[in-house]
Amino acid sequence: MENSIYNSMIAATQLLNKQTIIANNLANISTTGFKEKFNYILQNNSIKNLHNTYNKIAKEYYNLSPGTLNYTARNLDLFVKDNGWLSVKDINGQEAYTKNGHVKINSARKLTIQDNELIGYNCNITIPNNINVKILSDGVITSIERKKHEIFEKKIGQLKLVRLPIDDLIQKQNGLFYLKKGNELFHKNHNFIDHDNNVRIQSGVLETSNVNAAKNMIEMISNARQFEAQMKMISTCDKNYEYANQLINVNN
């Protein structure tokens, strides 16, 4: 009977964790470039008794398929094609990656995404005052100035664009993705990977969240019902304990 209670308790905890992930998906349904997350319960085959709930492990997966495209016509809105990613520096100075291409210029004239500075390819990018900025498909940033009747373009720098292995990605609370330590793409003794010349971007376009609202709502309802069933199981086992104790006391 103790095993039944313990199994139900572990199952309920796993369902709560899964529910948290689903709630986060739904909360970010309008977040630019957000990628849907899933939590699957897997059997741990290394344990002898494979039928116990507590021998199962939870693993997170990311749906990295593209969301729908929103054509904004804004030069600093970027869509990274295929499995390419933008590189940013988080608040701790660590390199991270994102599909959110809503770029802004901060007070220090740096390009940022959600206050994280965009990383340049072998350069530090600073945007001069009073110019129009154009970002080409290969990430090259140019300034456009009109002087008299002529237009002058000048290269400011280039965005660092990378291609990442899907299976080695982890997402942190800040919403950014990171490459797992020890991956072969990492430079030795450094926490960064190389720029990929084949990654292409498109300006004037934003990728919306790829969260499927209907699917997540169905999963949330299903999880709630499973959680309720586990709670009933615990309650039933608790009552059985009480009946068993009463019988023992009567017999004594």
Side-chain angles (χ1 to χ4, degrees):
M1 201 177 298
E2 288 181 357
N3 265 352
S4 297
I5 292 178
Y6 190 67
N7 287 344
S8 294
M9 182 185 70
I10 296 299
T13 301
Q14 291 172 340
L15 287 168
L16 283 176
N17 291 336
K18 192 174 181 180
Q19 202 78 321
T20 300
I21 290 174
I22 294 173
N24 186 59
N25 286 340
L26 292 171
N28 285 281
I29 200 167
S30 60
T31 301
T32 301
F34 181 82
K35 296 303 176 186
E36 193 174 31
K37 186 190 294 186
F38 299 100
N39 191 348
Y40 290 106
I41 308 300
L42 304 174
Q43 185 72 51
N44 187 346
N45 294 323
S46 64
I47 301 177
K48 294 180 181 180
N49 186 359
L50 300 180
H51 300 289
N52 288 338
T53 305
Y54 53 82
N55 288 337
K56 295 180 180 180
I57 55 176
K59 189 172 182 181
E60 292 182 356
Y61 293 90
Y62 304 101
N63 173 15
L64 298 180
S65 62
T68 57
L69 300 183
N70 178 23
Y71 293 84
T72 65
R74 178 175 175 267
N75 287 347
L76 292 180
D77 284 339
L78 306 175
F79 164 57
V80 192
K81 298 181 179 181
D82 301 322
N83 62 333
W85 297 75
L86 293 166
S87 303
V88 298
K89 189 185 298 181
D90 67 16
I91 58 173
N92 298 315
Q94 185 177 356
E95 183 168 307
Y97 311 99
T98 182
K99 283 283 192 177
N100 185 343
H102 187 54
V103 180
K104 296 181 179 180
I105 302 174
N106 66 11
S107 58
R109 307 302 297 174
K110 298 291 185 180
L111 296 178
T112 63
I113 295 174
Q114 294 178 319
D115 296 326
N116 300 292
E117 183 181 340
L118 274 164
I119 297 174
Y121 174 41
N122 291 331
C123 65
N124 291 316
I125 303 171
T126 302
I127 306 301
N129 289 307
N130 303 319
I131 64 162
N132 292 319
V133 175
K134 181 180 180 181
I135 302 179
L136 308 181
S137 62
D138 58 357
V140 170
I141 305 166
T142 61
S143 62
I144 303 173
E145 291 185 90
R146 181 186 294 272
K147 294 183 179 180
K148 295 183 179 179
H149 301 292
E150 294 186 71
I151 295 177
F152 297 90
E153 287 194 30
K154 181 181 179 181
K155 181 178 177 180
I156 297 174
Q158 184 175 5
L159 297 176
K160 181 179 178 181
L161 306 173
V162 299
R163 205 179 295 272
L164 303 175
I166 295 175
D167 294 335
D168 281 346
L169 290 178
I170 56 172
Q171 188 181 35
K172 295 187 179 180
Q173 293 295 324
N174 57 11
L176 300 174
F177 282 85
Y178 296 79
L179 202 60
K180 292 179 182 177
K181 296 295 178 67
N183 186 279
E184 61 182 8
L185 292 176
F186 271 125
H187 282 275
K188 291 181 179 179
N189 303 320
H190 295 86
N191 293 331
F192 66 88
I193 61 177
D194 281 328
H195 170 85
D196 191 319
N197 289 313
N198 296 316
V199 175
R200 290 292 178 265
I201 60 177
Q202 182 178 351
S203 64
V205 184
L206 285 177
E207 179 184 352
T208 63
S209 166
N210 68 352
V211 174
N212 185 321
K215 182 180 179 181
N216 278 269
M217 285 299 297
I218 291 171
E219 287 193 9
M220 178 173 278
I221 294 169
S222 175
N223 283 345
R225 289 174 177 172
Q226 291 179 57
F227 181 80
E228 184 180 353
Q230 297 300 333
M231 293 297 99
K232 285 182 178 179
M233 178 68 73
I234 293 173
S235 178
T236 300
C237 289
D238 189 49
K239 288 180 180 178
N240 288 341
Y241 269 125
E242 290 182 10
Y243 295 148
N245 288 332
Q246 289 175 6
L247 287 173
I248 291 172
N249 290 333
V250 168
N251 291 333
N252 288 338

